[in-house]
Amino acid sequence: KNQVEQSPQSLIILEGKNCTLQCNYTVSPFSNLRWYKQDTGRGPVSLTIMTFSENTKSNGRYTATLDADTKQSSLHITASQLSDSASYICVVREDTGFQKLVFGTGTRLLVSP
Amino acid sequence: DTAVSQTPKYLVTQMGNDKSIKCEQNLGHDTMYWYKQDSKKFLKIMFSYNNKELIINETVPNRFSPKSPDKAHLNLHINSLELGDSAVYFCASSQDSGGLFYEQYFGPGTRLTVT
């Protein structure tokens, strides 16, 4: 069964510190992987997209990595800000038919002052 | 301008009632979706429409009926509401369903509480 698992479930860090969120998936065949940020009370917003051939991609203070061999991705946040407090969802797209999206359960990040 | 909008934002109703949630996108996208996010924050797709035609219908009770009057709208009607229907429902849209880099744009969500 195609699944996406994220860790940790929740994380609290001090403002200014760095953190790394993990995503492991079993989705096959693989098309691409996105990291979404979901603020409380809002819909998810895409941060980055990774394809099979990409290892690293940055978007400001967010850096995503992908290891397609081990089926792992990470999202690294540097110099965290209070506005980074949100849920981060890893979403993997199947490379079949309609190319269904498989969502992870997310990591809830709280950045405290 | 809001790209994907949903109404209402909050909906509290009693078991057995029928309710609708409306969704509109002004992005000119061809495909629209409904997702359900449960208490554990897990997003699960319910339906997808491409150019007003149903293309995905996951194992959702037939009490849920999507209606797409045109490409920019996808409404969700729920009959005989049950306690387990309580969740946040998200509408989303994308340029198409098959492009490699297509991105889904999500609405703000509708929090449905069934009492």
Side-chain angles (χ1 to χ4, degrees):
Chain A
K1 182 180 178 182
N2 283 336
Q3 288 185 316
V4 177
E5 295 186 353
Q6 293 185 241
S7 61
Q9 276 192 330
S10 59
L11 182 62
I12 302 175
I13 62 173
L14 291 175
E15 186 179 10
K17 297 296 185 182
N18 304 335
C19 68
T20 300
L21 315 180
Q22 299 290 344
C23 172
N24 295 338
Y25 62 92
T26 60
V27 177
S28 181
F30 171 87
S31 177
N32 61 48
L33 181 151
R34 280 189 190 269
W35 282 93
Y36 281 85
K37 179 186 179 187
Q38 184 176 15
D39 292 312
T40 301
R42 292 179 172 254
V45 175
S46 177
L47 292 175
T48 65
I49 178 172
M50 308 283 290
T51 59
F52 187 87
S53 59
E54 295 175 307
N55 299 119
T56 304
K57 185 172 284 187
S58 292
N59 177 4
R61 295 179 296 101
Y62 300 103
T63 298
T65 65
L66 175 66
D67 186 333
D69 291 331
T70 61
K71 297 188 177 181
Q72 295 179 326
S73 176
S74 67
L75 182 69
H76 186 73
I77 305 174
T78 58
S80 61
Q81 300 176 359
L82 297 180
S83 60
D84 292 331
S85 295
S87 287
Y88 292 84
I89 305 171
C90 176
V91 184
V92 181
R93 185 177 178 187
E94 294 179 358
D95 191 16
T96 57
F98 181 69
Q99 310 222 352
K100 180 180 172 181
L101 297 183
V102 184
F103 286 77
T105 51
T107 293
R108 296 187 204 183
L109 174 65
L110 176 62
V111 180
S112 64
Chain B
D1 284 343
T2 304
V4 182
S5 59
Q6 296 178 228
T7 54
K9 189 166 176 62
Y10 301 96
L11 183 55
V12 181
T13 188
Q14 292 183 328
M15 284 176 56
N17 286 348
D18 303 337
K19 291 293 179 185
S20 292
I21 306 173
K22 295 185 177 181
C23 177
E24 176 182 3
Q25 54 94 5
N26 61 7
L27 297 166
H29 286 167
D30 297 322
T31 307
M32 296 185 72
Y33 313 79
W34 275 109
Y35 287 87
K36 180 180 180 181
Q37 188 171 44
D38 59 26
S39 57
K40 295 183 179 180
K41 304 298 183 183
F42 184 66
L43 268 164
K44 186 174 181 182
I45 191 165
M46 300 173 67
F47 301 101
S48 175
Y49 270 70
N50 180 266
N51 282 314
K52 301 195 307 176
E53 290 189 16
L54 180 67
I55 51 175
I56 282 184
N57 182 354
E58 293 293 304
T59 50
V60 177
N62 57 15
R63 298 182 294 104
F64 291 78
S65 53
K67 295 278 193 304
S68 182
D70 55 56
K71 210 170 71 163
H73 295 84
L74 181 62
N75 303 324
L76 184 64
H77 189 75
I78 315 170
N79 290 326
S80 303
L81 278 156
E82 300 177 357
L83 293 177
D85 298 332
S86 295
V88 181
Y89 292 84
F90 285 98
C91 177
S93 73
S94 65
Q95 180 62 42
D96 60 50
S97 57
L100 178 62
F101 294 105
Y102 88 109
E103 177 181 348
Q104 292 191 14
Y105 293 80
F106 286 82
T110 295
R111 180 174 293 277
L112 171 65
T113 302
V114 182
T115 62

